[in-house]
């Protein structure tokens, strides 16, 4: 059975059981501080499990792209070494939100596997939670056990401990026991030797878990205790690639048709064969896996970068490059070439991949090139470290520095060291790494109390499109603590005019006021699991009263000007540059806006001017806002509305239209473009290969900008004695300056000549060597010239000069080349030793070297000591 068909059968089966089939949500999460990527099928439905939102239907099924490379679920280091863990994989799932529970979940899972897919019952095992005698004191899941008994012999039902069979969403929140389904796909021979039962959950590559059925029936509170959930839920997840392995009768996920086309392509590009050498195989698996993770992340709008989710993606790609570099001898970019094959295989099911193929290739290629350069540099540095080391063990701190500062991976360092017969102090390395991680963790750790619920059954309503003020009730609040912000409160209202950060637009600020006029400031607003959360430093005293709240109107209006301008800019870019322009990120603040987009070259001055003019023409055109709060998504797209890859949209969307510009957008906007007054681009730059960034300002900020420029202009004009043509006056001044510089240079040269002839007279002969040690009034390059000129005229010269340049001491030594060997004089050694007098150090070559130091008072002592070298 082909993978495509396997996926379809799953979805059709649950559609037949009255499930709503939904597409995979984007993999990169934007509104969840606890999670960077979707790491299991349930992540996009968290708000339903928490009861913060209503699902469209209480039965849903899907295939969800998951990424397990950070945080609680991190399989990255396994990937490549085993045959059934991936970074990116598809999780097939069926969900019940307060609808069916264990009975149906178990019966349907069994029906699907054994009847629809026809898996032999004799290769299946199931596990049931055995209970726990810890603080939770949970009973064994007898209910699940009895249900399984109907389908499978009891000796195939195994008891599982809390680690494997009790599933928790995070430190807090819904949780419950689970039942896993395992397959044993070993040969009959193997099975006869070792009982499959003993291999379940033992990391055996052919006895693996394929499906996990989670029965959510508890809620974990902040004080760690459990309470029963009022509504019980089902959350299941089946690994698609593992299922394909079973149904296609192969022994490894990598031998399924999900991976074989990519592996064949890697073989063709690298001239290596899969299945002959374990090291090569690992590398091929790593690369075939990682290219999927990276390509899908970029398609979902997450580019590799230096922090956060972007950094995780960068590290995955670098891991792939490293394996190619080390085990497949690929010293030039090649991973980007696999995107074509990947797209042929998956572009149909995932249109975001197809649409952005060119961009994905460009970004990957550029990342590969830059990391290969890093590797080259690292090799040189490592070589230096090896040469400089007195022992065969390199310091762990040095290896850490290579990794941390230069991005050179420690496993590669290790490999190279071992090849050359060296080792490094791994204890020291680990300590340095741990110290760094601890620092990072402390800074970002956020502790939150349980919510205190003041009013139940109130669904928070956003009214901030229509009003900036309201009277509200606090429905729930909690305290959160972090190193960065200290203690803060998070408040949720029944209704709110505060816009929560999202779609690039910053969250609103403002205040809460009680009937006595006591005020608490709202410092930020964010959305989390569908709740609009207001951040304050204190809890309002009269928290149970109806309170007046107001959004900072000025900041909101400035932000709106920038948001509308962002739409006009997007439109302008597509008109001026072409339809290939796709939005790749935006930041809409009150003071400025930033817009990232795909385009392959730097914008010319003319293009920038055209874009600015285009936007300003629409501002002058006084275009009225046409807002539609609820349009079917298909219709909006058909009307030409711009949507973004990696954004999660509902069935009904909000559209914002100004003239020809239509976008799907949840942000806030001006009523008329004339509010924006003027649009000005302040910067244009590259963010990554094929991605440009424009920064711009509007309204007040433009006024400030022109005002500042004007002030600077008049100041400059003033300094130029009110010249009629200041530019010309400045050019004259520059020319004059250049002329003066030349004259000074000449004068200094003449001076050096004079100094030289004076000094020549002071040279004395000591034991056949022409010697001089003298303090001079020259800078370092002057002294150097002097040394070489003297050396050209005087044979057998040993000269040492000191100088005090603006409070810093310089010491230079010159030795005629023949003296270096004949008299064993080495300028490098000499300045290093004499440098102690000036509290400094330096070096150079045997015939010329310079030291710099902090102590000019020591120059004389250094010069006096020089003669000793001739004894
Ligand atoms: P394992 O113990 O094999 O790592 P898990 O307990 O982490 O699995 P769950 O979190 O229960 O797995 O995820 C549900 C299903 O998703 C698993 O039964 C498995 O089929 C699949 N799965 C989990 N992790 C991966 C991965 N890294 N790559 C591919 N499939 C996976
Ligand atoms: Mg796992």
């Amino acid at each position: 059975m082909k993978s495509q068909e396997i996926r379809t059968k799953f979805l059709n089966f649950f559609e037949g059981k009255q499930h709503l089939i939904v597409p995979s949500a984007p993999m990169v999460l934007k509104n969840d501080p606890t999670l960077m990527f979707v790491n299991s099928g349930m992540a996009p439905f968290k708000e339903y499990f928490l009861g913060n939102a209503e699902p469209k239907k209480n039965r849903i099924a899907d295939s969800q792209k998951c990424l397990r490379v950070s945080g609680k679920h991190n399989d990255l280091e396994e990937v490549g070494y085993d045959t059934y863990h991936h970074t990116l994989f598809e999780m097939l799932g069926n969900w019940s939100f307060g609808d069916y529970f264990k009975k149906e979940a178990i019966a349907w899972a069994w029906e699907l596997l054994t009847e629809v897919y026809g898996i032999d019952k004799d290769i299946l095992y199931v596990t049931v939670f055995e209970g726990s005698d810890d603080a939770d004191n949970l009973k064994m899941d007898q209910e699940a056990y009895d249900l399984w008994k109907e389908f499978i012999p009891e000796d195939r039902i195994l008891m599982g401990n809390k680690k494997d069979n009790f599933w928790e969403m995070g430190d807090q929140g819904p949780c419950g026991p689970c039942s896993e389904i395992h397959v044993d796909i070993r040969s009959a021979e193997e099975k006869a030797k070792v009982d499959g039962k003993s291999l379940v959950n033992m990391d055996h590559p052919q006895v693996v878990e394929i499906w996990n059925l989670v029965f959510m029936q508890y809620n974990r509170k902040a004080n760690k205790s459990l309470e029963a959930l009022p509504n019980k839920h089902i959350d299941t997840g089946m690994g698609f690639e593992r299922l394909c392995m079973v149904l296609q009768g192969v022994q490894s996920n990598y031998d399924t048709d999900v991976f074989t086309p990519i592996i064949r392509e890697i073989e063709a590009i690298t001239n290596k064969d899969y299945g002959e050498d374990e090291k090569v195989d690992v590398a091929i698996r790593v690369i075939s896996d990682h290219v999927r993770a990276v390509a899908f992340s970029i398609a979902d709008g997450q580019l590799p970068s230096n922090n956060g989710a972007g950094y995780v993606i960068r590290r995955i790609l670098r891991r792939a490059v490293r394996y190619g570099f080390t085990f497949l001898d690929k010293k030039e970019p090649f991973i980007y070439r696999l995107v074509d094959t990947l797209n042929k295989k998956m572009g149909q099911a995932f249109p975001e991949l197809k649409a952005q193929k060119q961009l994905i290739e460009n970004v990957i290629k550029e990342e590969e090139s830059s990391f290969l350069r890093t590797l080259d540099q690292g090799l040189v540095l490592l070589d230096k470290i090896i040469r400089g080391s007195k022992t065969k063990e390199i310091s762990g701190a040095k290896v850490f520095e290579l990794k941390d500062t230069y991005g050179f991976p420690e496993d590669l360092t290790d490999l190279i060291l071992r090849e050359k017969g060296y080792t490094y102090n791994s204890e020291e390395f680990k300590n340095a790494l741990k110290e760094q991680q601890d620092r990072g963790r402390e800074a970002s750790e956020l502790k939150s109390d349980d919510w205190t619920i003041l009013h139940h059954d109130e669904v928070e309503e956003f009214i901030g499109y229509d009003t900036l003020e309201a009277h509200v009730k606090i429905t729930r609040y909690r305290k959160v603590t972090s190193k960065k912000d200290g203690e803060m409160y998070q408040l949720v209202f029944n209704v709110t005019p505060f816009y929560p950060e999202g779609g690039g637009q910053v969250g609103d600020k403002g205040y809460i006021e009680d009937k006595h006029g006591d005020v608490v400031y709202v410092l930020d607003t964010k959305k989390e699991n569908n709740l609009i959360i207001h951040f304050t430093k204190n809890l309002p005293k009269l928290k149970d009263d109806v309170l007046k709240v107001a959004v900072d109107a000025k900041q909101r209006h400035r932000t709106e000007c920038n948001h509308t301008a962002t739409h006009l800019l997007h439109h302008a870019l597509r008109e001026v540059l072409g339809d290939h322009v796709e939005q790749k990120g935006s930041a809409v603040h009150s003071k400025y806006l930033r817009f990232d987009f795909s385009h392959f070259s730097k914008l010319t001055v003319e293009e920038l001017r055209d874009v600015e003019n285009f936007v300003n023409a629409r501002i002058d055109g006084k275009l009225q806002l046409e807002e539609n709060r609820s349009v079917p998504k298909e219709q909006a797209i058909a009307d030409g509305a711009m949507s973004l890859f990696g954004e999660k949209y509902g069935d009904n969307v909000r559209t914002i239209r100004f003239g020809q510009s239509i976008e799907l957008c949840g942000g806030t906007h001006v009523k008329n473009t004339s509010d924006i007054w003027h649009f000005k681009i302040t910067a244009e730059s590259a963010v990554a290969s094929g991605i440009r960034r424009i920064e711009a300002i509007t309204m007040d900020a433009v006024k400030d900008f022109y005002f500042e420029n004007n002030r600077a202009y008049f100041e400059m004009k003033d300094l130029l004695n009110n010249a009629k043509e200041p530019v010309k006056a400045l050019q004259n001044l520059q020319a004059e300056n250049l002329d003066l510089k030349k004259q000074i240079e000449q004068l200094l040269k003449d001076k050096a000549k004079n100094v030289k002839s004076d000094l020549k007279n002071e040279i004395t002969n000591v034991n056949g060597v022409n010697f001089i040690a003298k303090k001079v009034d020259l800078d370092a390059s002057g002294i150097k010239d002097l040394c070489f000129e003297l050396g050209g005229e005087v044979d057998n010269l040993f000269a040492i000069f000191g100088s005090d340049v603006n409070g810093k001491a310089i010491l230079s030594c010159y030795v005629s080349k023949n003296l270096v060997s004949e008299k064993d004089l080495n300028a490098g050694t000499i300045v290093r030793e004499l440098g102690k007098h000036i509290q400094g150090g330096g070096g150079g070559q045997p015939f010329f070297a310079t030291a710099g130091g902090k102590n000019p008072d020591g120059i004389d002592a250094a010069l006096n000591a020089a003669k000793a070298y001739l004894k």
Side-chain angles (χ1 to χ4, degrees):
M1 209 184 294
K2 287 254 183 268
S3 54
Q4 187 85 26
E5 194 186 336
I6 294 172
R7 191 191 292 115
T8 311
K9 277 204 162 148
F10 178 90
L11 298 175
N12 289 349
F13 176 80
F14 281 104
E15 194 167 31
K17 309 278 184 208
Q18 287 76 52
H19 286 62
L20 177 73
I21 307 303
V22 301
S24 173
M27 202 166 56
V28 187
L29 289 166
K30 302 209 168 84
N31 283 329
D32 190 336
T34 62
L35 206 58
M36 276 189 211
F37 304 101
V38 170
N39 61 4
S40 61
M42 66 80 62
F45 301 126
K46 233 167 115 176
E47 62 210 43
Y48 304 147
F49 290 117
L50 291 168
N52 297 339
E54 285 287 316
K56 248 180 296 176
K57 196 166 174 191
N58 50 19
R59 294 180 184 191
I60 288 181
D62 67 356
S63 168
Q64 173 65 45
K65 294 174 277 186
C66 296
L67 199 55
R68 292 199 165 177
V69 289
S70 59
K72 183 177 156 219
H73 285 295
N74 187 346
D75 293 337
L76 184 60
E77 292 310 319
E78 257 88 16
V79 174
Y81 289 91
D82 74 18
T83 48
Y84 58 103
H85 278 101
H86 303 295
T87 54
L88 172 107
F89 63 100
E90 284 181 61
M91 202 185 276
L92 304 168
N94 57 295
W95 320 88
S96 152
F97 305 106
D99 185 17
Y100 63 86
F101 201 47
K102 292 182 197 178
K103 182 162 181 274
E104 294 82 350
I106 288 174
W108 290 341
W110 193 257
E111 182 187 341
L112 176 66
L113 291 182
T114 59
E115 287 170 33
V116 178
Y117 288 132
I119 297 178
D120 184 354
K121 291 173 190 165
D122 295 339
I123 71 164
L124 297 176
Y125 289 93
V126 301
T127 63
V128 166
F129 179 49
E130 66 185 5
S132 75
D133 48 16
D134 57 3
D136 291 336
N137 193 21
L138 291 160
K139 285 207 205 63
M140 171 212 164
D141 191 356
Q142 188 67 45
E143 188 186 356
Y145 188 91
D146 293 341
L147 289 163
W148 280 118
K149 231 168 42 177
E150 302 282 313
F151 303 108
I152 185 166
E154 282 184 67
D155 69 336
R156 293 186 159 264
I157 308 177
L158 311 174
M159 289 297 135
N161 60 22
K162 209 165 179 188
K163 184 181 134 279
D164 288 321
N165 284 74
F166 193 86
W167 195 89
E168 309 214 25
M169 190 168 77
D171 294 338
Q172 279 155 263
C175 54
C178 59
S179 266
E180 302 164 340
I181 302 171
H182 295 255
V183 291
D184 179 357
I185 52 170
R186 293 172 305 151
S187 64
E189 233 180 345
E190 290 291 323
K191 283 181 184 167
K193 271 191 249 163
V194 185
D195 186 5
K197 217 187 295 182
S198 66
L199 297 176
V200 168
N201 270 331
M202 298 304 283
D203 297 331
H204 190 289
Q206 272 97 45
V207 185
V208 296
E209 174 191 332
I210 55 165
W211 203 348
N212 192 357
L213 316 179
V214 181
F215 314 124
M216 287 200 205
Q217 55 193 85
Y218 302 109
N219 180 39
R220 173 80 67 191
K221 306 211 306 186
N223 70 4
K224 298 285 159 241
S225 68
L226 291 176
E227 64 187 4
L229 278 179
N231 287 317
K232 296 187 175 57
H233 313 292
I234 289 293
D235 151 19
T236 86
M238 172 150 62
F240 171 65
E241 297 77 7
R242 292 187 193 178
L243 179 64
C244 290
M245 165 174 80
V246 177
L247 296 180
Q248 295 179 1
V250 291
Q251 303 283 303
S252 153
N253 287 5
Y254 294 91
D255 293 334
T256 65
D257 69 340
V258 180
F259 283 95
T260 44
I262 305 173
I263 290 179
R264 294 293 91 80
E265 186 67 22
I266 298 174
E267 289 178 322
I269 294 175
T270 61
N271 254 325
K272 304 264 181 202
D273 288 325
Y274 183 63
E276 307 218 315
D277 170 354
E278 181 56 18
K279 277 190 179 147
V280 169
D281 291 355
V282 169
I284 291 180
R285 287 197 289 266
V286 163
I287 294 162
S288 66
D289 173 279
H290 290 9
V291 68
R292 291 174 12 118
V294 174
F296 274 99
S297 302
I298 298 173
D300 266 2
Q302 184 58 63
L303 296 168
S305 72
N306 251 341
N307 46 46
Y311 188 56
V312 176
I313 301 306
R314 174 165 282 170
R315 271 182 24 225
I316 299 175
L317 183 57
R318 287 183 169 187
R319 188 169 185 262
V321 174
R322 233 163 68 209
Y323 277 84
F325 183 89
T326 316
F327 301 110
L328 306 179
D329 305 324
K330 287 307 281 185
K331 315 290 184 210
E332 74 275 0
F334 75 103
I335 296 169
Y336 75 97
R337 289 164 64 187
L338 305 171
V339 175
D340 192 39
T341 308
L342 180 64
N343 176 48
K344 282 194 187 114
K345 178 82 210 155
M346 303 194 79
Q348 205 70 29
F350 298 93
E352 65 272 29
L353 199 62
K354 195 169 181 169
Q356 300 179 89
K357 182 172 160 266
Q358 177 77 50
L359 173 78
I360 296 168
E361 285 171 341
N362 281 326
V363 171
I364 293 183
K365 187 175 179 192
E366 174 64 30
E367 280 284 314
E368 285 190 80
S369 307
S370 96
F371 187 54
L372 285 165
R373 280 195 298 274
T374 301
L375 288 182
D376 274 341
Q377 263 173 18
L379 289 175
V380 173
L381 286 171
L382 186 55
D383 214 43
K384 228 184 190 162
I385 293 174
I386 291 173
R387 273 188 285 120
S389 173
K390 292 198 178 70
T391 68
K392 287 272 168 187
E393 192 190 70
I394 307 286
S395 111
K398 281 243 159 69
V399 177
F400 178 75
E401 186 186 315
L402 264 181
K403 171 190 154 70
D404 194 46
T405 319
Y406 304 101
F408 198 74
E410 77 271 23
D411 55 353
L412 200 56
T413 304
D414 182 48
L415 202 83
I416 294 166
L417 287 178
R418 269 190 286 140
E419 270 169 14
K420 302 194 177 205
Y422 282 76
T423 56
Y424 71 97
N425 186 330
S426 63
E427 212 43 48
E428 214 175 280
F429 173 83
K430 275 186 215 144
N431 288 341
L433 185 67
K434 188 167 176 304
E435 229 169 76
Q436 190 198 42
Q437 287 170 340
D438 286 349
R439 255 178 282 139
R441 192 169 316 120
E442 261 175 42
S444 65
E445 209 166 39
L446 184 88
K447 277 207 211 80
S448 43
D449 290 358
D450 283 324
W451 288 107
T452 300
I453 310 281
L454 296 181
H455 297 278
H456 272 292
D457 306 326
E458 297 264 21
V459 174
E460 189 181 27
E461 190 192 345
F462 176 65
I463 52 173
Y465 293 139
D466 303 310
T467 177
L468 297 183
E469 291 186 0
H471 285 88
V472 310
K473 282 187 294 186
I474 298 176
T475 56
R476 58 163 90 182
Y477 68 88
R478 69 175 173 186
K479 191 164 78 185
V480 293
T481 322
S482 71
K483 190 131 197 171
K484 194 169 133 257
D485 299 320
E487 271 185 11
M488 296 275 274
Y489 283 89
Q490 299 187 336
L491 314 180
V492 177
F493 307 149
N494 58 337
V495 290
T496 181
F498 285 82
Y499 179 81
E501 179 185 318
Q505 184 177 332
V506 291
D508 278 336
K509 291 183 167 62
Y511 65 87
I512 306 168
E513 186 181 345
D514 68 19
K515 63 182 176 213
H516 304 311
D518 267 349
V519 162
V520 167
Y521 289 98
V522 174
L523 304 174
D524 202 357
T525 312
K526 290 186 180 179
K527 198 165 186 172
E528 234 175 75
N529 298 314
N530 209 44
L531 293 177
I532 298 175
I533 295 177
H534 309 80
F535 288 77
T536 63
K537 236 351 188 180
N538 303 301
L539 203 56
K541 268 188 230 146
L542 305 179
K543 61 180 176 356
D544 302 298
D545 273 19
V546 167
L547 300 164
K548 182 188 159 197
V549 299
V551 172
D552 178 338
K554 212 166 197 165
Q555 171 183 300
R556 166 72 91 80
H557 187 58
R558 287 186 177 127
T559 308
E560 286 176 346
C561 287
N562 283 334
H563 202 154
T564 303
T566 304
H567 285 203
L568 299 178
L569 171 61
H570 189 184
H571 185 200
L573 288 168
R574 288 174 69 96
E575 289 292 323
V576 174
L577 303 176
D579 279 349
H580 61 280
V581 169
E582 298 266 4
Q583 175 168 346
K584 285 292 155 209
S586 76
V588 179
H589 290 255
S590 60
K591 297 207 167 80
Y592 69 96
L593 66 96
R594 200 175 70 205
F595 189 75
D596 297 346
F597 56 99
S598 47
H599 182 61
F600 299 110
S601 52
K602 187 170 175 53
L603 271 68
T604 63
V605 174
E606 291 73 34
E607 283 167 340
L608 285 171
R609 196 197 50 215
D610 288 350
V611 168
E612 241 176 39
N613 286 344
F614 186 98
V615 173
N616 281 317
R618 267 123 204 101
I619 293 170
D620 294 343
K622 298 189 173 35
L623 303 176
Q624 199 65 32
L625 162 69
E626 294 169 58
E627 177 201 17
N628 195 332
R629 296 232 175 121
S630 181
V631 204
K633 184 177 158 207
E634 277 64 39
Q635 192 197 320
I637 302 279
D639 289 348
M642 305 287 254
S643 62
L644 302 183
F645 292 110
E647 207 61 51
K648 198 171 150 189
Y649 296 109
D651 292 341
N652 286 308
V653 294
R654 177 169 176 260
T655 58
I656 293 295
R657 180 181 192 130
F658 288 99
Q660 301 293 307
S661 149
I662 324 175
E663 300 207 14
L664 303 191
C665 178
T668 67
H669 288 271
V670 297
K671 298 277 174 288
N672 189 295
T673 56
S674 61
D675 286 7
I676 303 171
W677 188 71
H678 196 74
F679 168 83
K680 176 93 195 83
I681 294 174
T682 51
E684 192 271 346
S685 58
V687 186
S689 165
I691 311 274
R692 310 293 309 177
R693 165 171 295 175
I694 280 184
E695 288 161 76
I697 50 178
T698 63
M699 212 185 62
D700 288 4
V702 179
K703 291 182 191 168
D704 292 345
F705 175 83
Y706 284 134
F707 180 81
E708 263 310 303
N709 277 356
N710 217 33
R711 198 183 50 77
Y713 172 80
F714 279 107
E715 238 174 69
M716 179 182 85
K717 209 170 151 185
D718 216 32
L719 288 172
L720 294 167
N721 292 329
N722 261 324
K724 275 228 169 55
E725 291 179 76
V727 175
K728 201 150 182 210
L730 197 59
Q731 281 165 342
N732 288 340
L733 213 58
Q734 280 175 330
E736 213 172 284
N737 191 27
L738 201 70
D739 206 39
L740 287 173
K741 264 194 190 147
K742 275 190 195 143
Q743 286 185 30
I744 290 175
E745 239 166 68
Q746 191 53 48
L747 283 173
L748 283 176
K749 271 203 185 122
D750 293 348
K751 181 175 155 199
K753 245 186 221 147
N754 290 338
V755 172
K756 188 178 73 186
S757 58
D758 288 348
L759 288 174
K760 241 169 139 176
N761 295 329
E762 294 187 37
I763 294 176
T764 56
N765 191 301
V766 183
N767 298 333
V769 173
N770 289 317
F771 171 68
I772 180 166
K774 178 99 183 148
K775 193 165 172 182
V776 292
D777 186 16
L778 292 170
D779 64 2
S781 93
I783 294 181
K784 187 173 178 188
D785 289 345
L786 171 69
C787 283
F788 283 90
E789 278 175 32
L790 269 183
E793 293 169 23
V794 181
D795 289 337
N796 291 332
L797 180 65
F798 170 39
I800 179 134
F801 296 114
S803 169
D804 175 348
V805 182
N806 304 326
K808 294 240 164 64
I810 297 174
L811 219 50
S812 290
C813 176
Y814 179 91
V815 178
S816 292
K817 281 198 177 135
N818 60 312
L819 291 185
V820 174
S821 52
E822 284 166 24
K823 296 276 176 185
D824 197 21
L825 287 172
N826 185 321
T829 318
I830 294 169
V831 292
R832 218 170 296 133
E833 288 171 4
L834 295 181
K836 289 181 190 133
H837 292 287
I838 56 167
Q839 285 180 26
Q845 285 149 310
F847 56 90
F848 180 75
T850 298
K854 293 190 278 221
N855 177 26
D857 293 341
I859 292 175
D860 287 334
L863 295 173
N864 286 336
K867 207 171 185 172
Y869 287 96
L870 296 175
K871 296 241 162 84

